[in-house]
Amino acid sequence: TFEVWADVARLYKLDPDWTAVSGYSMGGFGTFRMLARWPDLFARGMSTVGAPGSVSDQLVSLRNTPLMTWNSAGDELVNIRTSEQTVTDMTAAGIRFNHWLFPGADHLTLSTNDQYAPAAEFLGEHRVDRDPPHVSYVIDTGEDSSRAEVVADHAYWVSGLTLRDGRAVRGVFDVRSAGFGVGDPPVLDIETSQGTLEGGAHGPMPYQRRERRWGPAPPLARTDKLFVKAGNVRSATIDGTRARVGCAPKVYLAIDGPLSLRLTCADKVRSKPPRCTKRVSLTLPRVAARPNVAVTAGRDGKLLARATGKRVLRIAFRRPTRKAFTVEVAASSEGATPGVGLTIARRVGACRR
């Protein structure tokens, strides 16, 4: 799929922000799979006579990609128990979905009917949300193929996800940024109704609809805070700029074991470079209720500064160059296990004489 997509992109001018995924039968399964493993590539998805299959435990990754699904009650391949389990799984994941069940149809009826206008309307002109305020993602290394160079270990502004226990093959990483100024929208009750699909080769086709939507996101004060939950995750990287928390956020953690959390960010862009100073002073990120007690700053493997104390909030060092450079800051915090390793890769801008 990615090779075909890349080949099309070589020949035609595409708009990557206006991208949806859809498929029939095996393509319906593929729709769930593409959305669950690479959700930040698509605005929405539409599955016809398909099901989640092996990614049924990864549907929380569809937090930011609404989904439409059509199934047939008389389907001999994706039977009614499978399609009902799909509704159950989507409901449990808390995602937005619009499920249509056609009582008088089998596996091929919707294909030979050849009427997808409501699906096209659902996909519409929605754009990919590259930087949502809340990211939920399931890592499943059992779905990866290193031979095919197809590995899913990142989504939106979260990357570098690895498992702590590889034998379990599955891990969950969930992070919400308060830098967007909104909270989580309320998950509304499922709405049920009936309708008729008109205009196809088989004439009017009745269906039963179950739809779950979200309410409006509540406004909140913008703050430099990250709320992280992780299960069986050893390491993760957060792009602080895209997450809108800057370079020194306060991190709230709910984890089940040691976690190495890395934050990348850059100084704010200025219209005019600042004057050079001999020393650079950086405010540090910190884990809630776990003050930094030992901090190091380095560049290209060379130590620039070290600081220790009961509560280290900043670290300063002699500026190594007038040009832009990246400094690696590692902070160790006190507290009981599970332990947390917090690092920051900060891009410091150039300066003028």
Side-chain angles (χ1 to χ4, degrees):
T1 302
F2 287 127
E3 288 299 320
V4 172
W5 192 352
D7 192 49
V8 173
R10 281 190 286 268
L11 299 172
Y12 299 92
K13 183 179 180 180
L14 304 184
D15 182 356
D17 289 335
W18 183 19
T19 303
V21 57
S22 181
Y24 195 101
S25 189
M26 183 183 71
F29 280 79
T31 295
F32 278 98
R33 183 177 177 83
M34 298 291 280
L35 287 175
R37 290 172 57 73
W38 299 281
D40 53 356
L41 298 181
F42 309 101
R44 291 192 168 197
M46 162 61 184
S47 167
T48 307
V49 294
S54 63
V55 299
S56 60
D57 62 343
Q58 300 175 46
L59 294 181
V60 293
S61 298
L62 277 65
R63 168 180 289 278
N64 300 295
T65 49
L67 178 67
M68 173 174 269
T69 57
W70 288 4
N71 285 101
S72 301
D75 196 325
E76 66 279 18
L77 298 178
V78 184
N79 60 45
I80 186 64
R81 287 179 297 178
T82 300
S83 63
E84 288 301 294
Q85 186 62 48
T86 297
V87 176
T88 299
D89 292 341
M90 292 190 297
T91 301
I95 62 175
R96 291 164 288 178
F97 65 87
N98 190 346
H99 178 79
W100 292 16
L101 179 66
F102 293 84
D106 62 17
H107 190 70
L108 294 178
T109 305
L110 293 172
S111 175
T112 56
N113 187 58
D114 195 25
Q115 174 55 274
Y116 301 101
E121 183 179 0
F122 173 83
L123 298 176
E125 298 184 16
H126 297 279
R127 318 296 288 188
V128 179
D129 186 358
R130 305 288 185 192
D131 297 321
H134 194 159
V135 175
S136 299
Y137 192 70
V138 177
I139 317 103
D140 190 336
T141 57
E143 299 286 337
D144 290 338
S145 173
S146 56
R147 180 181 179 184
E149 298 181 350
V150 181
V151 176
D153 60 1
H154 60 280
Y156 306 103
W157 36 269
V158 177
S159 62
L161 293 166
T162 62
L163 299 180
R164 188 184 317 111
D165 181 2
R167 296 170 297 179
V169 307
R170 183 181 183 274
V172 181
F173 191 82
D174 183 280
V175 54
R176 182 179 68 84
S177 168
F180 291 81
V182 294
D184 285 335
V187 179
L188 305 180
D189 293 336
I190 293 177
E191 300 176 3
T192 60
S193 62
Q194 297 184 355
T196 303
L197 180 62
E198 304 277 1
H202 298 316
M205 292 185 60
Y207 61 85
Q208 300 168 354
R209 181 183 66 92
R210 281 167 287 183
E211 183 177 11
R212 163 163 274 175
R213 294 181 290 179
W214 289 352
L220 298 175
R222 285 187 172 90
T223 57
D224 279 358
K225 294 179 180 179
L226 293 171
F227 299 87
V228 176
K229 299 177 183 179
N232 192 31
V233 175
R234 181 180 64 189
S235 63
T237 297
I238 293 174
D239 187 324
T241 303
R242 293 177 61 186
R244 302 187 187 181
V245 292
C247 296
K250 190 174 184 179
V251 183
Y252 294 80
L253 290 176
I255 55 180
D256 63 351
L259 171 68
S260 175
L261 188 62
R262 180 179 173 87
L263 180 74
T264 64
C265 70
D267 279 346
K268 293 182 179 180
V269 177
R270 304 182 184 182
S271 58
K272 187 178 182 180
R275 289 186 177 276
C276 270
T277 57
K278 292 183 178 180
R279 296 184 67 78
V280 175
S281 180
L282 303 178
T283 304
L284 301 173
R286 67 276 191 204
V287 177
R290 296 185 181 185
N292 298 324
V293 295
V295 181
T296 61
R299 174 179 178 251
D300 298 332
K302 181 180 179 180
L303 181 67
L304 296 176
R306 178 185 287 112
T308 58
K310 292 184 178 180
R311 191 171 180 228
V312 183
L313 301 178
R314 302 180 66 85
I315 191 167
F317 51 88
R318 184 179 182 86
R319 187 181 183 99
T321 175
R322 291 189 176 90
K323 299 179 180 179
F325 66 96
T326 298
V327 59
E328 293 276 345
V329 179
S332 299
S333 58
E334 67 176 13
T337 57
V340 178
L342 185 62
T343 63
I344 176 173
R346 179 165 178 173
R347 183 72 173 170
V348 179
C351 60
R352 55 193 171 94
R353 290 180 181 274

